[in-house]
Amino acid sequence: MADTMGGFSDSEDESQELMTPAQLIGKLEEAWLNEKFAPELLENKSEIVECVMEQLNHMEENLQRSKKGDLRATIHRMETERIRYVLSSYLRSRLQKIEKYFPHVLEKEKSRAEGEPSYLSPEEYAFAKEYYANTETFLKNVALKSMPPNLQTVDLGKSVPKPNLDSFVFLRVKERQENILVEPETDEQREYAVDFEEGSQHLIRYRTVAPLVASGAVQLI
Amino acid sequence: MFCEKAIELIRELKRAADGQLPAFNEDGIRQVFEEMKALYEQNQMDVNVAKSDGRSDLIPTIKFRHCCLLRNQRCIAAYLCVFYDRLLRIRALRWEYGSVLPTAIRFHMCAEELEWFNQYKKSLATYMRSLGGGGGLDITQDMKPPKSLYIEVRCLKDYGEFEIDDGTTILLKKNSQHFLPRWKCEQLIRQGVLEHVMS
């Protein structure tokens, strides 16, 4: 793969770390798995999405130019299909969460402080706003306006459930962590601390490790 | 008895099989709204009379109607959830059938639901077009991980000649079956010319 993609790194921003295509796809797969298994919407990774799409275009161009019947072309074709699947699946995961938790996702983005990383890409934000407006209009027209005057509004923020941050997730540790505080499950237990050794795997409540997922210290599996 | 219609509506929607969109019960929902309106207006009248004439004997009636109103409100809230559930089923239709819905399904949707669907598919299309800095990516495709390079397809309509990568041409005639490269067929499968045969 890497030998045909030699020219790729040159097209990246000087300010960004140069990544090999293999590293880029690795990052995409990590983001894909994290998004799949996390109960809430994670930080958006538009740079990865854009770079991967650029790479897919490169690969498509190379494939168009390749000799017909070239065996390597077949293998590269398979690779583009796999990458496209992972990218689509990643974006679908995000869209599904945006639609499922739309009032909360919008609220989180609106109340974000300057300089904090955004959860929604500009396109996702536009989509979320349209989804909210569309659904609100629908409920108004189909039901709410026919109700008695004192029942005509519905607070979507209260009616739509929030993601369950206490759900359990499997993870693998990438960077050693010390003293992770685990909350007690029953009244008899007390809270205790565990160390996360590099390479070890754990089953734990998402809420406890959410910051570690965001920083990349652990990988959801 | 009050509130019976509302409960019946909820039961009807729960009965529908998972994912299926039952017909929109326009009459039923209208009856519930009318009942709510009647109850509300009667209560308003009685409240005014009780205040002006000091007729405290009306209070039990008012209280009873108020309970009925609250019950209807809860039923409507539940029904709103069901409306919302219908909306989720309608959203799923976009991902399953594409942007053109079969007429049979469209008959089960009320005007507002059709409007919602149209807006939704527009938003989705705008979003997909904007992906990757304007290049666009159709994420309603590639729903399953690719298992093989070549797939067995059956031709649904007469299409004519079709050239594949190594230069050979294939004649796509109705009901003929071929073993073709997946990426070449995707477009034709979407258009309904070819059908993926899963063995």
Side-chain angles (χ1 to χ4, degrees):
Chain A
M1 271 290 302
D3 56 342
T4 54
M5 303 296 130
F8 179 70
S9 338
D10 304 334
S11 58
E12 290 211 40
D13 243 342
E14 289 308 330
S15 53
Q16 281 179 357
E17 229 178 79
L18 294 179
M19 258 194 280
T20 66
Q23 283 176 324
L24 174 66
I25 299 307
K27 281 221 164 329
L28 173 66
E29 286 178 0
E30 283 175 4
W32 171 56
L33 288 173
N34 278 342
E35 197 70 67
K36 216 170 176 230
F37 296 120
E40 61 174 352
L41 188 70
L42 300 176
E43 270 168 42
N44 97 83
K45 307 269 179 199
S46 341
E47 340 78 57
I48 298 184
V49 172
E50 273 176 36
C51 291
V52 171
M53 286 198 67
E54 235 182 83
Q55 171 139 352
L56 278 174
N57 287 336
H58 270 268
M59 290 168 84
E60 282 292 330
E61 283 170 23
N62 283 343
L63 280 165
Q64 302 286 18
R65 283 186 302 204
S66 68
K67 269 201 336 235
K68 296 199 167 163
D70 188 354
L71 181 64
R72 272 189 317 170
T74 315
I75 298 174
H76 285 172
R77 174 72 65 185
M78 191 86 192
E79 194 63 22
T80 48
E81 303 235 326
R82 285 205 195 97
I83 295 173
R84 192 176 293 114
Y85 167 73
V86 173
L87 182 62
S88 295
S89 182
Y90 169 67
L91 293 168
R92 277 195 296 266
S93 249
R94 288 181 62 83
L95 221 59
Q96 272 161 22
K97 282 190 218 173
I98 291 172
E99 290 175 357
K100 193 169 182 187
Y101 305 119
F102 66 99
H104 312 294
V105 162
L106 280 169
E107 186 55 46
K108 202 173 182 185
E109 190 67 15
K110 282 196 189 127
S111 54
R112 177 172 65 92
E114 262 312 309
E116 256 178 48
S118 70
Y119 285 86
L120 300 173
S121 69
E123 299 80 29
E124 287 172 340
Y125 186 60
F127 178 83
K129 281 202 294 198
E130 284 171 22
Y131 191 84
Y132 187 102
N134 194 16
T135 307
E136 196 181 45
T137 306
F138 167 76
L139 287 175
K140 243 188 229 148
N141 291 336
V142 82
L144 294 173
K145 69 178 183 201
S146 314
M147 297 213 205
N150 58 338
L151 300 171
Q152 280 190 0
T153 50
V154 63
D155 185 347
L156 286 172
K158 289 217 188 79
S159 336
V160 175
K162 286 191 166 160
N164 178 15
L165 300 180
D166 290 314
S167 46
F168 280 91
V169 290
F170 281 98
L171 61 86
R172 184 175 51 241
V173 180
K174 285 164 65 182
E175 291 162 19
R176 184 167 195 278
Q177 303 292 318
E178 292 185 355
N179 288 327
I180 305 293
L181 214 54
V182 180
E183 296 293 318
E185 296 292 327
T186 64
D187 288 333
E188 288 95 44
Q189 281 182 347
R190 297 233 296 273
E191 63 178 18
Y192 60 95
V194 287
D195 288 339
F196 277 4
E197 297 299 329
E198 190 180 315
S200 63
Q201 292 176 182
H202 303 265
L203 175 62
I204 195 169
R205 287 194 193 277
Y206 174 77
R207 193 189 291 276
T208 318
V209 295
L212 299 176
V213 176
S215 70
V218 304
Q219 168 73 48
L220 296 184
I221 53 178
Chain B
M1 194 46 234
F2 297 125
C3 307
E4 262 177 25
K5 195 65 190 169
I7 298 174
E8 190 190 303
L9 286 174
I10 295 169
R11 274 211 205 99
E12 180 186 279
L13 279 150
K14 280 210 99 151
R15 263 200 297 265
D18 253 321
Q20 295 273 25
L21 190 72
F24 186 77
N25 191 341
E26 183 130 23
D27 265 346
I29 193 77
R30 200 173 27 88
Q31 280 175 42
V32 176
F33 289 144
E34 278 168 10
E35 186 183 286
M36 288 188 85
K37 185 160 180 255
L39 282 171
Y40 180 79
E41 282 168 357
Q42 278 164 14
N43 250 14
Q44 283 296 89
M45 237 171 38
D46 283 346
V47 163
N48 289 335
V49 167
K51 278 209 285 226
S52 56
D53 294 349
R55 284 189 59 187
S56 51
D57 61 317
L58 282 176
I59 296 198
T61 327
I62 294 172
K63 282 204 165 132
F64 171 72
R65 279 208 210 94
H66 190 65
C67 285
C68 289
L69 265 174
L70 285 177
R71 185 146 195 242
N72 257 12
Q73 184 186 6
R74 282 197 292 274
C75 290
I76 290 289
Y79 200 73
L80 274 182
C81 290
V82 175
F83 267 127
Y84 190 65
D85 184 74
R86 279 178 68 90
L87 224 54
L88 294 179
R89 297 184 197 201
I90 293 169
R91 177 235 177 238
L93 293 174
R94 167 63 188 87
W95 290 82
E96 194 182 315
Y97 288 98
S99 26
V100 180
L101 291 179
T103 22
I105 295 186
R106 261 188 302 177
F107 278 144
H108 282 191
M109 291 164 59
C110 67
E112 290 86 0
E113 287 174 337
L114 280 168
E115 177 60 27
W116 187 91
F117 180 80
N118 285 334
Q119 287 299 326
Y120 177 72
K121 69 179 189 190
K122 254 195 245 168
S123 286
L124 186 61
T126 308
Y127 169 73
M128 294 197 293
R129 257 199 311 270
S130 70
L131 287 171
L137 180 71
D138 187 350
I139 59 175
T140 65
Q141 302 302 317
D142 306 300
M143 298 291 276
K144 295 211 163 66
K147 286 242 150 72
S148 61
L149 282 177
Y150 285 75
I151 50 173
E152 188 79 20
V153 290
R154 183 184 299 121
C155 205
L156 298 174
K157 331 183 176 158
D158 274 328
Y159 182 78
E161 295 205 338
F162 184 57
E163 184 178 336
I164 52 175
D165 280 341
D166 57 7
T168 56
T169 39
I170 306 232
L171 182 63
L172 294 179
K173 227 171 121 75
K174 186 168 177 186
N175 287 328
S176 61
Q177 263 185 246
H178 308 273
F179 191 61
L180 295 175
R182 161 202 290 275
W183 64 92
K184 275 272 173 219
C185 304
E186 258 188 57
Q187 177 83 316
L188 291 174
I189 292 176
R190 263 181 259 155
Q191 287 171 359
V193 174
L194 293 177
E195 173 190 43
H196 187 184
V197 176
M198 329 254 193
S199 45

